[in-house]
Amino acid sequence: MVRVLLVEDDETLGFVVQDNLVQEGYAVDLQTDGKAGLQAFIAGTYDVCLLDVMLPEMDGFTLAEQIRSSGSQVPIIFLTARSLKEDRIRGFKLGGDDYLTKPFSMEELVLRMEAILRRMEVRTPESYLLHFGAYQLDTRNRRLSCGDFSIHLTARETDLLKMLAGRANEIIPRDEILVRLWGKSDYFLGRSLDVFVSRLRKYLSQDKTLRLVSVHGVGFRLEV
């Protein structure tokens, strides 16, 4: 089942879109503001994102920018009442795949989604697999494997490892990890992050060529 993240602050429109997509066979997670949408994206795994542009807390363009900066190539369709050419250009420059102006028909939305999904081939299981060193990370089922070793990860462990492996050999600042995975950065969340990093080190001990390095005062790097 294709999973959709729908971020729309108009409750009536959000319900109508969600209900129609569910009837079409999609699984839809509806959020009503940008920050909640970002948290849902970080915590879950989605095949397509439908983002209203004018959102409270964090607008749709900023939300799309955050999604793209995480390394995700999930398809993004903007939904907006604004039809200015400058807005459409900005949306595409931020990595959007399509732009629908309200009011729109559900038939058109579904057809556009299906066209993008066919191009992305998100229905194939391989699209959820991330390979690094001798490991394979199945981000959809949260399963980390290496030879005969296999372990089921928590959602937070999966998101953290996905970020580190997706930017292998790059130092990722602590603050960036905390904000993307927890929504903010403070001392207590930093201690939680250290615990998750320690767990991942144990999981990654099957491949001696991998090192999860702490860069003092800066962040972490997965050396592959």
Side-chain angles (χ1 to χ4, degrees):
M1 182 177 290
V2 175
R3 296 193 61 197
V4 179
L5 174 60
L6 170 62
V7 189
E8 170 60 65
D9 66 324
D10 184 322
E11 293 185 5
T12 301
L13 178 59
F15 174 79
V16 170
V17 173
Q18 181 183 40
D19 185 58
N20 277 269
L21 290 180
V22 168
Q23 291 185 45
E24 292 288 336
Y26 293 90
V28 183
D29 182 359
L30 173 61
Q31 301 294 332
T32 56
D33 68 72
K35 285 188 176 179
L38 179 59
Q39 288 300 308
F41 175 79
I42 291 171
T45 302
Y46 299 97
D47 301 310
V48 62
C49 295
L50 305 178
L51 310 181
D52 184 18
V53 172
M54 303 300 292
L55 291 168
E57 303 296 335
M58 177 189 297
D59 66 75
F61 287 145
T62 303
L63 174 54
E65 191 173 21
Q66 294 288 319
I67 290 173
R68 286 290 179 256
S69 65
S70 73
S72 173
Q73 295 302 310
V74 63
I76 296 174
I77 300 177
F78 290 109
L79 311 175
T80 181
R82 300 172 61 173
S83 58
L84 294 176
K85 180 179 71 175
E86 292 79 7
D87 287 333
R88 293 197 301 274
I89 291 174
R90 183 184 178 191
F92 287 124
K93 283 185 175 180
L94 289 172
D97 296 272
D98 210 339
Y99 201 102
L100 268 178
T101 303
K102 301 174 184 177
F104 52 83
S105 73
M106 284 304 307
E107 182 181 10
E108 181 180 8
L109 173 60
V110 170
L111 289 174
R112 287 176 181 254
M113 286 174 56
E114 289 179 346
I116 291 173
L117 290 170
R118 282 196 299 271
R119 292 199 299 269
M120 298 293 292
E121 296 182 340
V122 298
R123 288 186 173 93
T124 62
E126 290 79 8
S127 61
Y128 301 102
L129 301 180
L130 183 61
H131 297 272
F132 53 97
Y135 283 90
Q136 173 181 283
L137 175 63
D138 181 342
T139 58
R140 161 159 278 191
N141 296 304
R142 305 205 300 266
R143 175 69 59 179
L144 179 65
S145 305
C146 178
D148 295 331
F149 172 82
S150 180
I151 189 170
H152 184 266
L153 305 181
T154 66
R156 191 79 73 188
E157 289 170 344
T158 302
D159 292 334
L160 176 56
L161 185 53
K162 179 181 176 181
M163 181 182 294
L164 291 166
R167 294 164 63 178
N169 301 311
E170 173 187 341
I171 299 174
I172 305 180
R174 292 178 64 93
D175 286 345
E176 179 181 345
I177 295 174
L178 288 169
V179 170
R180 294 198 184 286
L181 268 62
W182 277 271
K184 62 179 181 178
S185 175
D186 62 30
Y187 172 80
F188 297 104
L189 290 177
R191 299 304 299 165
S192 295
L193 172 58
D194 291 334
V195 171
F196 279 98
V197 168
S198 295
R199 288 184 195 167
L200 291 184
R201 283 200 181 102
K202 294 179 181 178
Y203 303 156
L204 298 175
S205 62
Q206 303 293 316
D207 184 350
K208 302 304 180 184
T209 67
L210 295 181
R211 292 182 63 217
L212 180 46
V213 179
S214 298
V215 182
H216 183 67
V218 182
F220 301 95
R221 177 178 62 230
L222 180 60
E223 296 181 350
V224 179

